[in-house]
Amino acid sequence: MGMTIAEKIFAAHCGKDSVRAGDLVYAKLDLVMGTDVTVPLAVDVFNKIGAKKVFDRTKIALVNDHFVPAKDIQAAGLSKTMREFASRYDIKSYFEVGRSGLCHCIVPDSGLVVPGDLIIGADSHTCTYGALGAFATGVGSTDMAASWALGENWFKVPASIKVVYTGTLQPMVCGKDLILHTIGMLGVEGALYGCLEFSGPVVDRLHLADRFTLCNMAIEAGAKAGIIEADEKATEYARRRAGRTGTAHRSDGDARYDRVMEIDVTDLEPQISHPYLPSNVRPISQTEKVRVDQVVIGSCTNGRIEDFRAAAEILRGKVIAPHLRLIVIPATQEIYLQMMDEGIMKTVIDAGGVISPPTCGPCIGGHMGILGENEVGLYTTNRNFKGRNGHLTSKVYLSSPHVAAASAITGVITDPRSFN
Amino acid sequence: MINGRVHRYGDNIDTDVIIPARYCTAFTEEELAPHCLEDLDAGFVKKVRKGDLIVAGRNFGCGSSRENAPIAIKGAGVSCVIATSFARIFYRNSINIGLPIFECEAAVADAADGDEIRVDPTAGTIENITRKKTYSVPPFPDIIQEIIRAGGMVEFAKKRIQ
């Protein structure tokens, strides 16, 4: 019996020829990632464990992204704790404000992920790195601390659900629509404890930014990871960013899946996730023209240059609705510079939008754009739970950058295809 | 032995309502507990008594990886969470910090707010005293049992380092 990509990666990291879904294994880790909100508690736990050293100073990434630039005194303290830990243990990949970005963009962009890696991160969207053919999953602070000390952790090898996308995507329909549609089909717990393996000709044609978006939201269906077989695009990215190409695992023809879903995307419209669950998804044609107070384009889900190019194309030469605020957040400083070079910053500012430094801020209701009472947001982020983004009565709809940009202009949720 | 009154909630109770991010600049029980579940049930902290249980539906603890969520629940005095299923990061975090959790669909289906429940983790039984019903829960896998026996991940990791 063959193995899935997930099974192959676990086998390779626990020194076995083969493992099966359901096996409990101790596996060696290639990278342990944490952020300013999860690292301080982990530092506390690391000290309680009595660890005197980290397993490998080059396999730990510490990223300032959630509450930065420090939103208040407490947040400043969190970053300070992380900074001191990084300095004390000489952590190679410590990302300081100004040289940082959203963890799930800066970590792969810095060459810290290659195909075949096994990665944990104390952030639930760590599953993003599956776009490069790595197995990456979110954990909490205590698991991270123990992993800093031990360089390994225990895992239940997950069963996989294979999602095969066929057909051809329409213009203005992108990776975000694919994953929202899929989460809508699966439900928020449809892939609980499992691995979503995305494949098919549509995925083969997607650029990496869209693949990162796909894998990023696997957790919103309850999945432990999302994963895509590493092809030439992923390998080339790894070569360029990391200087090495890792191991591109492929699922065997006779690998066992919990379920295989085939989705023809030819008629897929832009998708909207309605409050208060990411799985509450409807196509845009079945979404009423809800008046929007604030649009956010950014986040680890849709904060890459391709996302801003798509938004800018729609915004260029236009102005946003007078009653509306548009907040644009490049995921990294590199993307920020690229946006300047390509004139995207000017397009956004001319349209009436504001540009924030890289931060998770509004996505987690931290800072940089909190919603007030009864306000409505249209975000390219990943979650719309009640109260997450501001006041308990506020509401957030999730969409692609295309829909977000078109809606910013009209002031109501709008089909970007009507701008063609 | 765990013994307490039930606070009954529904499906998909996410970490944002268990402890909103606005409080996640803190991570101690003392700081988090006063805000436990405040966006779901503003009266929870006032009515919960030490030893009480949370009983909820599917996918409890979905969303963020924040360990602040089980810490807030434990800090509020909750002795145990019983749910139909748990989101996996929340599941790991709870085991790691020593918050007892059990998956038991039947017990969840029968339980109502205010019921008295007794849990015997060693025997693997949940008894709804109010409804005079007993349920069995399958034992945890070996690795998890070892972590629980050690009293959580800190002690477990301590041993593995040596």
Side-chain angles (χ1 to χ4, degrees):
Chain A
M1 183 60 83
M3 289 191 284
T4 61
I5 306 175
E7 287 168 335
K8 287 186 181 183
I9 291 176
F10 277 107
H13 286 79
C14 69
K16 289 185 178 159
D17 290 334
S18 81
V19 296
R20 284 270 159 257
D23 289 355
L24 285 159
V25 299
Y26 280 100
K28 300 244 176 275
L29 300 165
D30 296 305
L31 184 71
V32 181
M33 195 282 303
T35 73
D36 51 309
V37 282
T38 52
V39 164
L41 172 55
V43 169
D44 207 37
V45 173
F46 186 79
N47 293 333
K48 278 187 189 143
I49 289 171
K52 297 283 178 280
K53 55 183 185 359
V54 296
F55 79 108
D56 186 335
R57 58 175 282 275
T58 68
K59 292 184 175 177
I60 292 173
L62 305 175
V63 187
N64 279 291
D65 66 358
H66 276 65
F67 291 152
V68 299
K71 79 179 181 87
D72 54 25
I73 294 167
Q74 284 77 18
L78 296 177
S79 285
K80 189 162 179 272
T81 303
M82 182 160 79
R83 190 175 298 123
E84 286 164 359
F85 181 83
S87 163
R88 177 164 183 193
Y89 292 98
D90 197 18
I91 303 302
K92 195 171 162 222
S93 300
Y94 168 73
F95 296 95
E96 186 56 270
V97 174
R99 285 137 276 166
S100 192
L102 307 194
C103 57
H104 304 312
C105 302
I106 194 110
V107 163
D109 275 1
S110 302
L112 295 172
V113 181
V114 295
D117 275 357
L118 179 63
I119 296 172
I120 61 167
D123 187 275
S124 62
H125 294 103
T126 301
C127 50
T128 309
Y129 316 144
L132 298 174
F135 190 97
T137 190
V139 297
S141 297
T142 297
D143 266 324
M144 172 162 68
S147 303
W148 286 342
L150 299 165
E152 62 169 22
N153 211 319
W154 69 271
F155 297 90
K156 185 171 171 183
V157 178
S160 293
I161 296 175
K162 189 173 188 169
V163 189
V164 187
Y165 299 104
T166 61
T168 309
L169 283 176
Q170 292 178 33
M172 302 279 177
V173 180
C174 63
K176 182 63 166 286
D177 302 300
L178 285 182
I179 190 63
L180 289 181
H181 179 65
T182 308
I183 294 164
M185 290 174 75
L186 284 164
V188 274
E189 52 154 1
L192 199 56
Y193 307 127
C195 174
L196 284 172
E197 188 181 309
F198 303 109
S199 64
V202 177
V203 174
D204 296 342
R205 289 192 295 269
L206 288 182
H207 52 60
L208 282 178
D210 267 339
R211 295 187 194 178
F212 280 124
T213 306
L214 258 186
C215 292
N216 172 275
M217 288 191 73
I219 174 81
E220 308 319 331
K224 184 172 190 162
I227 205 161
I228 297 171
E229 195 179 280
D231 63 357
E232 189 43 46
K233 280 181 210 170
T235 306
E236 166 52 27
Y237 173 91
R239 189 182 294 121
R240 190 157 38 89
R241 296 282 179 169
R244 57 201 177 91
T245 55
T247 309
H249 294 284
R250 282 166 202 288
S251 288
D252 294 322
D254 58 347
R256 210 172 347 182
Y257 290 95
D258 245 12
R259 189 175 163 192
V260 178
M261 297 162 66
E262 192 174 315
I263 303 174
D264 186 335
V265 303
T266 307
D267 295 326
L268 191 73
E269 298 176 33
Q271 304 286 304
I272 308 289
S273 165
H274 292 231
Y276 289 107
L277 276 180
S279 61
N280 194 9
V281 175
R282 284 178 232 161
I284 196 146
S285 62
Q286 290 170 38
T287 298
E288 54 283 19
K289 292 197 181 307
V290 181
R291 182 185 150 105
V292 176
D293 298 296
Q294 178 166 294
V295 168
V296 172
I297 306 179
S299 85
C300 59
T301 313
N302 283 116
R304 297 178 183 81
I305 190 68
E306 292 82 351
D307 299 312
F308 298 116
R309 282 179 191 143
E313 206 161 297
I314 294 166
L315 288 170
R316 196 162 294 126
K318 304 217 168 53
V319 290
I320 60 172
H323 74 268
L324 182 142
R325 297 148 345 235
L326 168 65
I327 300 173
V328 173
I329 313 175
T332 66
Q333 296 289 75
E334 181 187 328
I335 297 168
Y336 200 111
L337 281 173
Q338 237 173 323
M339 288 169 73
M340 287 173 66
D341 289 345
E342 296 183 19
I344 296 172
M345 294 301 196
K346 183 164 168 38
T347 301
V348 171
I349 292 168
D350 284 348
V354 68
I355 294 147
S356 152
T359 179
C360 303
C363 175
I364 48 163
H367 64 323
M368 284 286 180
I370 306 298
L371 291 174
E373 196 171 355
N374 292 318
E375 285 195 318
V376 174
L378 176 65
Y379 289 14
T380 66
T381 60
N382 42 53
R383 283 188 185 133
N384 53 356
F385 298 138
K386 199 165 197 216
R388 174 175 170 92
N389 310 88
H391 195 275
L392 206 47
T393 57
S394 65
K395 288 192 175 83
V396 166
Y397 293 79
L398 304 176
S399 79
S400 69
H402 310 71
V403 174
S407 308
I409 295 164
T410 60
V412 295
I413 295 180
T414 299
D415 190 335
R417 295 172 301 176
S418 63
F419 276 71
N420 256 343
Chain B
M1 198 73 87
I2 293 161
N3 199 332
R5 290 175 320 149
V6 168
H7 300 267
R8 180 73 165 86
Y9 298 104
D11 294 335
N12 302 313
I13 303 302
D14 62 80
T15 52
D16 279 292
V17 294
I18 295 173
I19 188 77
R22 59 183 180 272
Y23 302 119
C24 289
T25 48
F27 48 81
T28 63
E29 287 187 13
E30 296 71 30
E31 289 167 290
L32 295 171
H35 306 292
C36 182
L37 287 172
E38 88 175 18
D39 282 358
L40 177 72
D41 178 358
F44 174 76
V45 174
K46 280 201 182 116
K47 67 188 176 194
V48 69
R49 285 191 300 220
K50 196 167 169 50
D52 282 359
L53 295 89
I54 288 175
V55 176
R58 301 191 312 255
N59 204 25
F60 186 87
C62 61
S64 143
S65 69
R66 65 187 70 150
E67 209 160 290
N68 318 58
I71 292 172
I73 290 174
K74 197 175 172 208
V78 170
S79 61
C80 166
V81 183
I82 301 171
T84 307
S85 62
F86 290 93
R88 58 163 288 279
I89 305 177
F90 183 91
Y91 184 98
R92 283 187 82 112
N93 287 346
S94 300
I95 300 286
N96 284 342
I97 68 156
L99 171 69
I101 54 169
F102 298 95
E103 287 184 341
C104 184
E105 193 170 1
V108 170
D110 294 336
D113 228 22
D115 282 3
E116 191 184 352
I117 280 188
R118 185 186 298 150
V119 181
D120 183 342
T122 324
T125 56
I126 296 171
E127 188 188 351
N128 188 323
I129 296 166
T130 311
R131 288 167 204 281
K132 299 185 176 57
K133 279 191 170 178
T134 304
Y135 317 85
S136 69
V137 283
F140 287 104
D142 287 346
I143 292 177
I144 298 178
Q145 280 194 38
E146 279 177 56
I147 298 168
I148 293 171
R149 269 201 302 274
M153 183 51 96
V154 169
E155 295 304 317
F156 180 76
K158 239 182 221 176
K159 279 185 204 144
R160 282 183 72 84
I161 283 177
Q162 289 154 7

